[in-house]
Amino acid sequence: MRRFALKALFTLLTLNRDDDDPPRWDRIILIGSTVVTIGLVGLYAYGKATGRW
């Protein structure tokens, strides 16, 4: 599952990218912040479900 998620992330980052174009930092930051937000929500839900918080 984790390997699939990383492949999907790298595919999104390199999709329709030419070698001459600079990296699209806005897209990289957007995807990174979305991944972090989803991770934090998942961690919060896991903590609530297990009663450790």
Side-chain angles (χ1 to χ4, degrees), residues 6 17 23 27 40 46-48 53:
L6 287 176
R17 182 173 168 217
R27 180 179 288 182
L40 288 173
Y46 174 74
K48 283 293 190 179
W53 285 340

Side-chain angles (χ1 to χ4, degrees), residues 13 24-34:
L13 291 175
R24 297 180 182 169
W25 290 108
D26 56 341
R27 180 179 288 182
I28 293 170
I29 292 171
L30 179 66
I31 292 173
S33 64
T34 303

